[in-house]
Amino acid sequence: MQYEWILDVLTDLKAFAKGNGLRALAEQLDDTSLVAAAEIAQAAEVTAGGMALDAGEAYKLHRGVAASDNA
């Protein structure tokens, strides 16, 4: 899938943070990875249903805002 590379980057950043004593950052990146994985999975479901999403639309969908809303 087109967004999976993001998880690899977050994993690398987390490893760097841990290796350099940045514990709070490593923990935040852990949370960020979970959010990214959830959004990627949701985007994959929607794409499989015939609607391709860009990252902004996937974020809006994840946050519960319809893609057509301007909120």
Side-chain angles (χ1 to χ4, degrees):
M1 172 163 228
Q2 64 183 355
Y3 300 122
E4 289 181 6
W5 64 269
I6 295 169
L7 298 175
D8 293 334
V9 171
L10 291 171
T11 299
D12 289 345
L13 289 170
K14 182 180 165 187
F16 178 84
K18 278 186 174 180
N20 288 283
L22 304 171
R23 289 187 322 187
L25 178 57
E27 289 176 15
Q28 184 64 49
L29 288 165
D30 219 9
D31 293 343
T32 302
S33 294
L34 293 174
V35 172
E39 285 191 327
I40 289 167
Q42 192 169 34
E45 287 177 18
V46 172
T47 300
M51 295 174 38
L53 295 179
D54 66 19
E57 290 171 328
Y59 176 77
K60 287 179 184 177
L61 185 61
H62 174 73
R63 298 296 297 164
V65 177
S68 61
D69 288 347
N70 290 330

